[in-house]
Amino acid sequence: MTCNTEALNLDPGNIPAGKYRELIKKLNVNNKIEHHIDRYKKELTYKIDFLKNSHSDESPSYKILSIDGGGIRGILPALWLSEIEYRTHRPISHLFNMIAGTSTGGGIATGLSAPKFKPISETTDEHTEDHIEYEYSNLVPIFSASELFNIYKNESNKFISKSAPWLNVFSNARKTMVEKYFGKTRLSHSLTELVIPATNDNCSHLFTRNDACKNSMNNEVNNTFVDILMATTATPTFYPPHKISDKTFIDGGIYFNNPASAAYDEAIRYNVPKEKISVISLGTGCYLPDPSNPDQYSNLLFWTQN
């Protein structure tokens, strides 16, 4: 660019140098994040036949999307997934058979998988939560990837303090925000298979749609999205542990910051043939030198950095 500027100073009529400078200016504009946000404001295509075919047992492949934990850096996979939706014109939940996410990745996974819902009637049934019945879409998710990206960009400061994040330990801002978006939606309502890790009693715990659907009447298995998100994002020193019934959960990243292996194992448990499985794993943290030996890096310093 400097050479072209000098060339134009010597010869303002230098056409090749002028064209090159205009190209550089255009690239600089198109690489700004605002450019991407604007172009992602595009209608997606929702077709029930496409969703059924892509998720059927006859489909030639079983596609898994795995999203790492990483706090505010979840904005990166949200941006990449926005690009996928932009290029395919399809919502992420229609493109993948299973979505797994830990901590902030769990927020993205649930946002892309949870269905839109609306109240349809009030009831006097005392066993119905809040005395309101809801209708859940079997096609349209609550969020597109670009909408999740905008939440990271515009609302993260409501529940993450830039100067002293630990001051939010006793804040209800995070739960209020999650309840605002997910309401009473339960895991069995998910549009695609879902795997969300958390940690309970120093052991990993997986919240899965598969188990929820098999136990849809058992609210201790068919948890709400609110409880699942509060559990997987309960980052030590940032937020308090989250209690569900008599169990206490903290951040899923303690054991599965990258939930790809957990998702793969779940697919095998569902009797999916190994040769059909393909995995896209989106990270937010540092490079792991040896992914086949993750325990080598399971120490407190590595976890806090990632």
Side-chain angles (χ1 to χ4, degrees), residues 22-36:
E22 292 304 313
L23 176 61
I24 294 297
K25 286 181 178 179
K26 185 176 180 180
L27 288 173
N28 285 337
V29 170
N30 289 349
N31 280 329
K32 290 182 178 179
I33 201 69
E34 288 78 9
H35 167 77
H36 291 280

Side-chain angles (χ1 to χ4, degrees), residues 81 119 136 167 207 225 281:
L81 292 170
Y136 297 91
L167 295 179
F207 296 100
F225 276 90
S281 181

Side-chain angles (χ1 to χ4, degrees), residues 77-95:
L79 179 63
W80 300 328
L81 292 170
S82 298
E83 184 69 25
I84 291 176
E85 287 189 339
Y86 172 78
R87 296 189 180 214
T88 62
H89 311 290
R90 305 283 185 183
I92 294 297
S93 58
H94 292 204
L95 299 173

Side-chain angles (χ1 to χ4, degrees), residues 248-270:
T248 301
F249 295 91
I250 59 173
D251 196 296
I254 302 296
Y255 283 94
F256 284 115
N257 197 56
N258 179 344
S261 61
Y264 179 85
D265 288 343
E266 282 298 299
I268 296 299
R269 186 167 74 92
Y270 304 161

